[in-house]
Structure formats: structure tokens, C-alpha cells
Amino acid sequence: MENREYKDSMFKDLFSIPKNSVELINALLNTDYKEEDIENVTLSNVLRKDIYNDLAFLTKENELIVLIEHQSTLNCNMPLRMLLYLVDEYKRIIDANDLNLYRNTLISLPTPKFFVIYTNEQAQEQQVLKLSDCFQGETSFELEVVCYNILKSNILSEKSKTIQEYATFIQLVFTYLKERISLKQAIEKAMEDCQKSGTLESYLKNRRSEVFDMLALEFDIDKLQAASYADGIEKGRIEMIKAFYESGTSIEDIARATKVSKEEILKIVKGE
């Protein structure tokens, strides 16, 4: 189902592996599912890539688990994003099973549960975002998203060894970046440390080059989004596009991240 035209995030790639998927879901739900009890139902749509770089799983108990990984700053619009995802997920289920919304037979749908995994050295370890906060008046309609900051000690990291090791790797990258070295050097040094300690050992060994590409794009997108709130947006955008290009990111990925045409990006990187 997945579209490989664009790079996945490291989080999505890592937790698409069945043994990691079921480990994370069991940690989130406090369950004891096996790999065969979980189906990856992540949506993919070439027209709406920003929404679909996430994960969704269907359990044998008919639970629909929607996961989003978000870098650094937690987005308060996550519940709305989840709602849009859920509508499309339910539409897929209805169409796939040829269900008729206009008949008087109750349609049974998977029970949705929403989670965000993010990394922030200052934020609290867990919080809940609510869709009702978007509304100006009272409503009986609610959608809650449970958010875990995996750089802080919490129940999720205690129950999932892979989440704990992923958090360790990301923390190492943050630590090395504080030494004012390049992103490439920070990732490489973090990989070396993890290799010595056995952290994410087989994953990093088998996916070394892909991990650098995925993580470099994630960190640069995060910086770009933060820069967009400051003055001098145009200058910051140009510098970030150059940084993307110098780190080896493809023109197509830069265009997706910056919402700038490929033609304009080529002019910027060539100094025209």
C-alpha cells in the first residue's frame, strides 16, 4: 500500500517491522498481541503526502491504532490531523467491504485509538490533546490523542525496548549537535556509539545509509518549520534549501519539505 516515491521517517520505517510494531502496540495498549494479531493498514496517497507519513494498525480485537511521530515541538492540531486520517481510513474500510451507509443495518467499525510519539528535551513526558479545544462552543464530539515524549522516562519506554533504544539514538544525535558539529557528523557519531553498545544493532547495521537519509531530512524539516515563524522567512528558507542540498537530500524531497518548485530549488542551489 505504501508509496516509496518519498522517504519514510526513521520512526515509520523502524516500526513498520512486524516485531517492532507489535512490541510498540503492546506497550501502548498494555496487551499481549502476537505478530499475527496485527495488520499494518497505513494509508498512502500520492496527493496528500503530509498526512500519510504515519502508521496505522488493525488489531485482532478490531482496534484501529493510529500513530504519528512528531519531531521536537508538539503540534496542538494533532487531533484534527487524526480526525482527517480517520475519515479516510473509515472510507477505505467502507469501500473495500462494499458497505451501504443508507441501509438500516448498523455498520461495525474498528475502535480508534490515537497516539503521538515525539522527542523534546524540555517538555513533559505525557499529555493528552483534545479535538474539542478547537471549538469555540460546547460540544459532545471529542477525539483524544495521547502523546508520549520518549526523551523523558515514561511507561512506554519501560515497556518497549525498541522505543527506548530509538530514544537513546535520537538523544545522542541531539547531544552531538550541541557540540556544534554538522548534522551528518552528529548522526554518524550517534551510530558509532549505538553500534558499540548494541543499541538498535541489527537495524542500524542493515540500514545505515537509509537511516542517515531519513533522519537528515527529518531534522532539516524540523529546523525549516521553526524558521518559518521568525522574521526574514525568505532568507531562512533559502539557507535551509541549501542545507538540504548539501546534506545529499534529493531535489524532490526538498520540494516536498519546503513547498518550493523543483525549478526554483535548482536556481537557489546553483546560486542564480
Side-chain angles (χ1 to χ4, degrees), residues 14-218:
L14 178 63
F15 288 98
S16 291
I17 299 170
K19 68 182 181 67
N20 296 338
S21 303
V22 71
E23 178 191 299
L24 179 55
I25 289 171
N26 283 333
L28 290 166
L29 304 181
N30 195 29
T31 50
D32 191 27
Y33 287 127
K34 305 294 188 295
E35 286 185 31
E36 59 268 24
D37 299 330
I38 305 296
E39 179 187 359
N40 189 327
V41 293
T42 303
L43 291 174
S44 180
N45 188 315
V46 296
L47 298 178
R48 298 171 66 185
K49 298 177 185 67
D50 288 343
I51 293 178
Y52 291 95
N53 198 28
D54 308 309
L55 285 167
F57 300 96
L58 190 63
T59 74
K60 71 172 185 178
E61 297 299 327
N62 210 29
E63 299 160 302
L64 178 63
I65 313 304
V66 182
L67 279 160
I68 292 179
E69 194 244 4
H70 196 71
Q71 285 268 327
S72 299
T73 304
L74 194 58
N75 188 326
C76 61
N77 291 312
M78 281 297 179
L80 181 56
R81 180 176 172 179
M82 292 289 198
L83 176 62
L84 296 175
Y85 194 109
L86 183 63
V87 169
D88 282 349
E89 191 70 81
Y90 280 161
K91 186 177 186 302
R92 180 190 64 81
I93 292 171
I94 290 168
D95 291 345
N97 294 280
D98 198 25
L99 301 174
N100 190 336
L101 294 173
Y102 300 99
R103 295 184 63 182
N104 198 29
T105 303
L106 184 65
I107 293 175
S108 178
L109 294 171
T111 303
K113 298 181 180 181
F114 307 100
F115 301 95
V116 169
I117 309 299
Y118 72 110
T119 51
N120 188 300
E121 294 179 298
Q122 283 77 45
Q124 58 186 305
E125 64 273 13
Q126 183 179 343
Q127 64 186 103
V128 177
L129 300 179
K130 297 183 177 183
L131 182 64
S132 59
D133 290 337
C134 297
F135 307 135
Q136 296 185 6
E138 293 185 6
T139 178
S140 59
F141 182 52
E142 187 60 279
L143 185 156
E144 294 185 350
V145 181
V146 181
C147 308
Y148 290 98
N149 177 9
I150 59 172
L151 292 191
K152 295 292 182 70
S153 177
N154 57 54
I155 192 66
L156 189 59
S157 296
E158 293 172 8
K159 291 185 175 183
S160 170
K161 182 174 183 289
T162 308
I163 272 287
Q164 186 180 66
E165 293 187 352
Y166 174 72
T168 297
F169 176 60
I170 297 299
Q171 182 65 75
L172 283 168
V173 176
F174 282 147
T175 299
Y176 283 125
L177 283 174
K178 291 176 184 176
E179 298 179 2
R180 299 188 180 279
I181 63 177
S182 70
L183 178 59
K184 180 179 180 181
Q185 290 174 312
I187 294 173
E188 287 177 343
K189 291 185 74 171
M191 284 185 178
E192 290 172 5
D193 287 353
C194 287
Q195 187 174 12
K196 291 176 184 177
S197 65
T199 301
L200 293 180
E201 186 173 13
S202 61
Y203 178 80
L204 291 177
K205 180 180 179 181
N206 296 328
R207 304 296 303 275
R208 186 178 183 90
S209 61
E210 293 93 333
V211 165
F212 174 76
D213 288 343
M214 291 185 288
L215 206 59
L217 182 61
E218 288 176 61

Side-chain angles (χ1 to χ4, degrees), residues 4-8 212-214 216-218 220-221 240-263 265-266 269:
R4 292 289 176 175
E5 181 184 352
Y6 292 93
K7 295 184 183 75
D8 288 333
F212 174 76
D213 288 343
M214 291 185 288
L217 182 61
E218 288 176 61
D220 282 342
I221 288 175
M240 191 55 64
I241 287 172
K242 289 179 179 178
F244 271 153
Y245 188 74
E246 289 170 3
S247 71
T249 305
S250 71
I251 296 296
E252 289 77 13
D253 281 334
I254 297 174
R256 176 175 70 93
T258 63
K259 306 296 188 283
V260 176
S261 71
K262 289 186 284 186
E263 293 76 12
I265 289 169
L266 284 170
V269 299

